[in-house]
């Protein structure tokens, strides 16, 4: 059925008795049909055809309305889909930006400056960045000497340059040059004296909590350090035992941090591995024997026992 392009209800039935329709009338005239009757027949045919066209037009209008409504629905759905995609992209972009610039988006409470005490000391930017990444970092940075070193470098440096580095999401980001450099006088955990170790532990535990570490990991480390400081080796009069437990603490914590991102995963570090500790003591003891026999510095002892 051909598509109509205008409403046939607006058409006016012509006068079939006019000269224009003479041929149509005369073709119908015979002994039983007069010219007037032929014109009437043409009139009736036109009326019937127009009624059919009007019905067709009405159906066409209804179908067009349904089709247009479906097109509008699809267009609205597509617009909603594109809006949702755009909102998701914007949300993802904002999340990425907040992740890369976490400190810029930290909320600041409207309050006077809190009272400052000695415990709220300045910590090395390098050490804090290590914590943010979940990497191993030496306890030295939270000793009195480490805090003094961080304050000295903070007050004297004028290097505001930026250096590129790879972020946790794999993208290259620029960070302050100071946060990419370790302290020049950093002391390995194995070489700390017990007093420095005891100073550093509560400070680094507080720093772990402030840097949004998982409570389970913070508790494990806190219990691990607590177990170290109540162990018989820690309180032993034997200097080799003290060296062994400090070396054990460093090696266990390094291995634990590395295992977190490995396929096998980490373990509950708060449980002291007495077998591993005994092996560490044996290594320290053997190294001390070698050093006592050799007046020259022993690289093996330096590696194990500091």
């Amino acid at each position: 059925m051909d598509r109509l392009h205008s409403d046939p209800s607006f058409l006016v039935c012509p006068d079939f008795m006019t000269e224009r329709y003479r041929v149509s009338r005369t073709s119908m005239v015979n002994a039983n049909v007069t010219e007037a009757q032929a014109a009437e027949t043409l009139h009736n045919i036109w009326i019937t055809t127009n009624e059919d066209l009007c019905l067709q037009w009405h159906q066409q209008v209804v179908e067009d309305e349904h089709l247009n409504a479906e097109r509008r629905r699809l267009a609205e759905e597509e617009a909603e889909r594109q809006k949702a995609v755009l909102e998701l992209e914007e949300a993802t972009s904002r999340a990425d930006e907040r992740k890369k610039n976490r400190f810029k988006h930290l909320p600041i409470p409207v309050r006077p400056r809190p009272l400052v005490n000695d415990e709220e000391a300045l910590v090395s930017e390098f050490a804090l960045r290590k914590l943010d990444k979940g990497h191993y970092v030496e306890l030295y940075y939270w000793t009195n000497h480490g805090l003094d070193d961080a304050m000295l470098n903070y007050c004297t440096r004028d290097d505001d340059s930026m250096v590129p580095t790879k972020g946790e999401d794999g993208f290259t980001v620029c960070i302050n040059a100071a946060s990419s450099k370790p302290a020049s006088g950093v002391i390995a955990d194995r070489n700390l004296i017990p007093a420095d170790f005891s100073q550093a532990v509560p400070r680094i535990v507080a720093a772990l909590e402030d840097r949004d570490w998982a409570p389970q990991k913070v508790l494990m480390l806190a219990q691990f350090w607590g177990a170290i400081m109540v162990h018989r080796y820690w309180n032993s009069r034997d200097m080799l035992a003290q060296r062994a437990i400090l070396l054990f603490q460093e090696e266990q914590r390094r291995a634990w941090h590395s295992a977190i991102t490995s396929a096998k995963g980490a373990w509950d570090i708060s449980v002291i591995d007495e077998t591993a500790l005994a092996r560490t003591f044996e290594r320290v003891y053997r190294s001390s024997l070698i050093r006592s026999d050799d007046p020259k510095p022993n690289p093996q002892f330096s590696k194990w026992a500091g």
Side-chain angles (χ1 to χ4, degrees):
M1 186 179 297
D2 295 336
R3 179 176 179 79
L4 300 178
H5 300 285
S6 61
D7 187 354
S9 63
F10 293 108
L11 298 177
V12 177
C13 182
D15 182 1
F16 289 101
M17 289 299 294
T18 61
E19 181 62 23
R20 181 180 179 183
Y21 298 100
R22 183 176 60 81
V23 175
S24 299
R25 292 193 306 273
T26 56
S27 64
M28 301 172 62
V29 173
N30 55 39
N32 298 318
V33 177
T34 64
E35 189 172 353
Q37 290 175 329
E40 182 64 24
T41 300
L42 291 172
H43 174 82
N44 293 337
I45 293 173
W46 187 96
I47 293 297
T48 302
T49 302
N50 182 261
E51 289 176 349
D52 291 341
L53 292 175
C54 288
L55 180 60
Q56 178 184 342
W57 175 261
H58 175 73
Q59 293 175 344
Q60 181 176 297
V61 169
V62 172
E63 291 174 358
D64 287 349
E65 289 177 352
H66 289 166
L67 182 60
N68 291 333
E70 180 65 13
R71 288 174 177 170
R72 287 193 299 271
R73 184 186 67 81
L74 293 176
E76 290 172 358
E77 288 182 355
E78 178 63 17
E80 288 295 328
R81 188 190 68 81
Q82 292 181 359
K83 180 181 177 182
V85 170
L86 180 60
E87 291 176 350
L88 178 61
E89 290 177 350
E90 292 176 348
T92 302
S93 177
R94 287 194 300 270
D96 290 343
E97 198 276 337
R98 291 176 70 90
K99 184 177 180 181
K100 294 176 183 176
N101 303 285
R102 183 168 68 92
F103 297 110
K104 186 178 76 173
H105 297 281
L106 286 177
I108 299 178
V110 181
R111 63 178 182 180
R113 180 182 180 182
L115 295 177
V116 179
N117 56 48
D118 294 339
E119 296 303 318
E120 298 174 348
L122 183 69
V123 182
S124 163
E125 295 178 19
F126 172 80
L128 295 178
R129 182 165 175 79
K130 284 278 192 178
L131 285 190
D132 288 339
K133 290 184 175 181
H135 293 173
Y136 171 86
V137 62
E138 291 83 358
L139 292 175
Y140 164 81
Y141 291 101
W142 284 269
T143 65
N144 287 346
H145 296 298
L147 297 177
D148 290 343
D149 182 60
M151 176 60 71
L152 178 63
N153 289 333
Y154 178 80
C155 293
T156 58
R157 68 178 174 85
D158 59 359
D159 182 11
D160 292 329
S161 60
M162 307 294 286
V163 296
T165 186
K166 182 174 289 187
E168 295 181 10
D169 54 4
F171 291 99
T172 299
V173 296
C174 289
I175 62 172
N176 189 288
S179 65
S180 66
K181 301 176 182 177
S184 58
V186 63
I187 300 174
D189 286 6
R190 70 186 72 181
N191 295 327
L192 291 176
I193 62 174
D196 285 342
F197 188 95
S198 301
Q199 291 169 358
V201 165
R203 291 169 177 167
I204 192 174
V205 169
L208 291 172
E209 293 174 339
D210 290 341
R211 311 306 280 194
D212 292 330
W213 270 50
Q216 180 195 37
K217 293 179 181 177
V218 176
L219 181 61
M220 281 184 182
L221 286 171
Q223 291 177 340
F224 171 64
W225 286 316
I228 290 291
M229 289 188 288
V230 298
H231 195 276
R232 65 183 186 279
Y233 279 13
W234 182 268
N235 299 297
S236 174
R237 295 172 182 263
D238 186 349
M239 294 301 297
L240 295 182
Q242 292 185 11
R243 286 183 178 181
I245 200 165
L246 284 170
L247 177 59
F248 169 81
Q249 183 276 152
E250 177 183 326
E251 292 179 342
Q252 287 293 302
R253 197 156 61 88
R254 284 184 183 275
W256 184 75
H257 278 277
S258 297
I260 289 176
T261 57
S262 67
K264 293 183 179 180
W267 62 92
D268 185 355
I269 195 175
S270 65
V271 180
I272 300 296
D273 187 343
E274 294 290 346
T275 302
L277 179 55
R279 289 198 297 265
T280 304
F281 178 84
E282 181 67 19
R283 286 162 43 209
V284 173
Y285 175 70
R286 290 175 183 269
S287 297
S288 69
L289 294 179
I290 295 173
R291 189 175 67 169
S292 64
D293 293 338
D294 188 353
K296 297 180 180 180
N298 188 292
Q300 187 179 26
F301 180 78
S302 298
K303 175 183 177 182
W304 285 340

